Amino acid sequence: MCLSEMHKVSVDTLAQSCSGSSTVCLALTRGDEELAMGECPPSAAVLLPLRAPGERHVAWVVEWGDDVKAVSEDEAMVLVNHQATGDVCTLMMCLQDKGTVVRQMMWLMDHIFKYTNFGIVSLIHGDFFIRQGKAHRDQQLVLLQEHLEKYYRSRNRKWIVLFPEGGFLRKRRETSQAFAKKNNLPFLKHVTLPRLGATQVILKTLVAPQENGTPAGRDAVIKESKSKGLQWVIDTTIAYPKGEPIDIQTWILGYRQPTVTHVHYRIFPIKDVPAEPEALTHWLYQRFIEKEDLLTHFYETGAFPPLQGQTKAVSRAMTLSNLWLVGIQSLAFLSGGMWYCILQYFYHCLF
């Protein structure tokens, strides 16, 4: 059964239909139509011929909250909760239909990615790799500031994406909860308390003077580039059914049952973001407390709650070219194969 023929069928029906196919499927929403939970979007389509033996995989992304297309031509900082390596794949896919911003983004990611085929591309792209841990923290923040001053404006970047939690949920949850208990902070289950360092450096370096009440401190770079500086903070929350995140291996091999990934956006003007460390810490904590509430509601009901002023939550569309997706997937496999050959060559040379 072709997924493009499925209209208003349940997720279970979608899963059963795909389980009889030898393809990996990617279902996308269409236009500005409202999608009720449990409906299959009309523009769903069979995309990628990849599967693991005996299993099929459907990746269906539904977007909620504010429409980020409205600010895609402005500079923004994107704050995202972090559950697994698949979060990056989800975001990359979601942003493909947001105009040219996808080509003008800078990512902050763990330094371990530097040593992969994906990392080589990111290095060329000008992304920043950050080392975790107290021993490296201060030095990494200095390097981040220097990197932003050198590359962000010169490469005409518009959005910068970071994961303020500083690691995967499963790795940081216990430590975060212990810190919260010690400091009389809320007990969080679905997210962890964010770290201030990188967020503060980004705001200090990229926000135009007086935009949020105090000078940015690095306004020379902004003035020279005639940039308005950061204008928005996009608070992004990724939710997986049953709280079971998808990793990159699953995206590539498709060895999990069909699933639906949900992404919620909330946009804040930069002028509403405080610059003072204590106030900024409180503001950032509040964003992740709100994420906790959003995810709690999602896991209980299967949907995000409506925005303030709305009577019901609605999803918005994203449409991607099947040809483009197949091309990107092919390039990913090609680069992975080349990287394997390079590592194998050096291994034989050394041993």
Side-chain angles (χ1 to χ4, degrees), residues 75-119:
E75 291 191 25
M77 175 173 64
V78 184
L79 306 177
V80 193
N81 63 312
H82 207 9
Q83 301 181 62
T85 51
D87 296 342
V88 176
C89 301
T90 298
L91 282 174
M92 286 183 172
M93 188 177 71
C94 287
L95 296 173
Q96 294 303 322
D97 72 335
K98 304 301 186 290
T100 60
V101 70
V102 72
R103 300 193 294 272
Q104 297 173 292
M105 299 178 67
M106 179 178 287
W107 294 74
L108 270 64
M109 63 190 75
D110 193 278
H111 79 288
I112 194 66
F113 286 108
K114 185 188 296 185
Y115 308 105
T116 67
N117 58 318
F118 177 82

Side-chain angles (χ1 to χ4, degrees), residues 312-327:
K312 65 176 181 177
V314 296
S315 64
R316 282 176 314 282
M318 54 169 296
T319 54
L320 298 176
S321 164
N322 293 358
L323 181 62
W324 181 90
L325 285 166
V326 171

Side-chain angles (χ1 to χ4, degrees), residues 28 42-43 124 126 137 170 172 202 209 264 275 296-297:
L28 306 172
S43 60
I124 297 172
R137 190 169 300 165
R170 68 178 187 276
R172 291 213 60 242
I202 291 169
H264 184 278
T296 298
H297 187 280

Side-chain angles (χ1 to χ4, degrees), residues 159-288:
W159 285 14
I160 182 165
V161 182
L162 71 154
F163 301 91
E165 292 166 292
F168 297 140
L169 173 63
R170 68 178 187 276
K171 293 183 177 181
R172 291 213 60 242
R173 179 159 41 199
E174 185 176 344
T175 302
S176 174
Q177 290 173 346
F179 178 83
K181 184 177 180 180
K182 181 179 179 181
N183 293 275
N184 197 28
L185 294 168
F187 185 86
L188 306 177
K189 294 171 55 180
H190 307 305
V191 295
T192 64
L193 290 170
R195 293 170 175 171
L196 179 66
T199 304
Q200 189 174 24
V201 168
I202 291 169
L203 292 173
K204 178 183 177 182
T205 309
L206 301 182
V207 173
Q210 302 299 328
E211 188 68 34
N212 62 343
T214 58
R218 297 289 165 181
D219 51 300
V221 180
I222 295 175
K223 287 179 180 178
E224 288 174 3
S225 66
K226 298 181 179 180
S227 169
K228 295 180 181 179
L230 289 181
Q231 296 172 266
W232 310 97
V233 172
I234 303 174
D235 186 19
T236 304
T237 304
I238 300 176
Y240 300 93
K242 300 180 181 179
E244 299 175 354
I246 303 174
D247 54 28
I248 288 180
Q249 298 96 307
T250 304
W251 271 76
I252 295 174
L253 300 176
Y255 51 75
R256 255 180 64 171
Q257 290 297 316
T259 189
V260 181
T261 303
H262 299 257
V263 182
H264 184 278
Y265 305 106
R266 189 177 177 197
I267 302 173
F268 295 88
I270 201 68
K271 62 183 177 60
D272 293 345
V273 182
E276 294 301 320
E278 185 175 346
L280 178 60
T281 299
H282 177 73
W283 185 90
L284 200 57
Y285 280 179
Q286 285 302 119
R287 300 291 73 76
F288 277 77

Side-chain angles (χ1 to χ4, degrees), residues 33-176:
E33 299 177 3
E34 296 181 5
L35 282 175
M37 289 305 302
E39 290 183 352
C40 176
S43 60
V46 175
L47 294 181
L48 303 179
L50 300 170
R51 67 180 177 86
E55 297 291 345
R56 313 292 184 266
H57 178 59
V58 174
W60 172 14
V61 175
V62 177
E63 297 181 301
W64 305 81
D66 292 326
D67 186 1
V68 296
K69 284 185 179 181
V71 299
S72 63
E73 295 303 315
D74 299 331
E75 291 191 25
M77 175 173 64
V78 184
L79 306 177
V80 193
N81 63 312
H82 207 9
Q83 301 181 62
T85 51
D87 296 342
V88 176
C89 301
T90 298
L91 282 174
M92 286 183 172
M93 188 177 71
C94 287
L95 296 173
Q96 294 303 322
D97 72 335
K98 304 301 186 290
T100 60
V101 70
V102 72
R103 300 193 294 272
Q104 297 173 292
M105 299 178 67
M106 179 178 287
W107 294 74
L108 270 64
M109 63 190 75
D110 193 278
H111 79 288
I112 194 66
F113 286 108
K114 185 188 296 185
Y115 308 105
T116 67
N117 58 318
F118 177 82
I120 294 174
V121 174
S122 295
L123 278 172
I124 297 172
H125 186 254
D127 298 323
F128 183 77
F129 297 92
I130 191 165
R131 295 180 65 91
Q132 304 294 338
K134 293 182 179 179
H136 309 285
R137 190 169 300 165
D138 292 340
Q139 180 192 26
Q140 289 299 299
L141 293 179
V142 172
L143 293 175
L144 172 59
Q145 181 171 307
E146 293 175 351
H147 185 87
L148 292 173
E149 292 173 348
K150 185 176 182 181
Y151 295 111
Y152 192 85
R153 305 294 175 191
S154 64
R155 297 198 178 193
N156 193 31
R157 296 294 180 248
K158 288 186 177 294
W159 285 14
I160 182 165
V161 182
L162 71 154
F163 301 91
E165 292 166 292
F168 297 140
L169 173 63
R170 68 178 187 276
K171 293 183 177 181
R172 291 213 60 242
R173 179 159 41 199
E174 185 176 344
T175 302
S176 174

